[in-house]
Amino acid sequence: MKTIARIETDFPDKFGIPRQSNLVPQLRGRIIFEPEFRNPDAIKGIEEFTYIWLIWEFSQSKKETVSLTVAPPRLGGKVRKGVFATRSPFRPNPIGLSSVKLEQVVMDEKLGPTLIVSGADLMDGTPILDIKPYLPYADSHPDAAGSFAQEHREDGIEVDFPTNLLECLPEDKRQAALAVLEQDPRAAYNKKADYVYGLSFAGYDIRFTVGGGVLTVIDVVERTDRNFHKVK
């Protein structure tokens, strides 16, 4: 297997990334191909599809030993399921699968063809192993059972993001930040009272507390390190 591309997103860390793709359609990402794949012929016709599949590597979730059962966060971390009955990142082969909306194909003078996508649930710099078109007639099954994932699809939290703090973020990032927070980025087994959480997003640390069923943003600080993936 070889990396064909990497994605640029607003998440330098794993914390806060939506648990599935397309839960936050406001999120934008840019897929940049590795030098040997920067030939426009490789994506000829891709603009004819609305959505694409990304097959990628859980590059930050590798373990030497893998358990055959996992405790999904949405079940409070107390109920174990078979690893192949979940989308846990801790797998025998650390491969992820996401469907994202293809917003635009851009020709960059230096980087060649790049793909602008929305709804991605990937960390900045994630290696992409393959890209395939999403086929509605074959890939969509609206009547399918979704077990515990379907039961928890509406999980979220009320967010209080004071205007003066929201305006610390770039205007084009504000709605995405709100939507990410509304997903409640805390793990179900790690919801501490009187604790200040920090979400790194788009070059800022968004600090918040949770009480009475409301997530309240208390500070927004611009990051000085900005450890984002740098394209070569």
Side-chain angles (χ1 to χ4, degrees), residues 46-52 100-103 117-118 133-134 136:
I46 198 170
E47 71 281 354
E48 299 168 14
F49 297 91
T50 304
Y51 287 84
I52 55 176
V100 297
K101 187 175 183 181
L102 179 60
E103 298 285 352
V117 300
S118 61
Y134 176 96

Side-chain angles (χ1 to χ4, degrees), residues 21-169:
S21 56
N22 288 303
L23 288 179
V24 182
Q26 299 94 331
L27 291 173
R28 289 290 186 272
R30 182 171 72 148
I31 296 173
I32 300 173
F33 289 92
E34 295 292 283
E36 64 179 299
F37 298 105
R38 291 176 185 173
N39 187 327
D41 288 344
I43 60 165
K44 185 178 180 180
I46 198 170
E47 71 281 354
E48 299 168 14
F49 297 91
T50 304
Y51 287 84
I52 55 176
W53 287 108
L54 303 181
I55 301 170
W56 48 278
E57 180 186 10
F58 283 105
S59 55
Q60 301 298 311
S61 301
K62 295 179 180 179
K63 285 188 173 182
E64 291 185 4
T65 59
V66 178
S67 173
L68 295 183
T69 62
V70 297
R74 289 291 155 176
L75 293 180
K78 300 177 181 179
V79 179
R80 300 196 72 83
K81 298 283 187 178
V83 65
F84 301 127
T86 74
R87 294 193 175 188
S88 167
F90 302 107
R91 321 185 67 77
N93 294 306
I95 296 173
L97 179 68
S98 299
S99 66
V100 297
K101 187 175 183 181
L102 179 60
E103 298 285 352
Q104 190 179 7
V105 178
V106 177
M107 292 301 301
D108 185 280
E109 184 176 339
K110 175 184 175 183
L111 303 174
T114 63
L115 308 180
I116 309 302
V117 300
S118 61
D121 55 338
L122 284 74
M123 193 172 77
D124 186 61
T126 294
I128 307 295
L129 303 176
D130 200 6
I131 297 172
K132 300 179 186 293
Y134 176 96
L135 304 179
Y137 76 91
D139 296 342
S140 177
H141 305 281
D143 58 342
S147 185
F148 68 89
Q150 188 79 358
E151 295 168 7
H152 290 269
R153 69 187 186 279
E154 300 297 336
D155 285 3
I157 194 168
E158 180 183 344
V159 173
D160 177 12
F161 203 141
T163 302
N164 65 308
L165 294 178
L166 184 62
E167 290 178 348
C168 292
L169 297 175

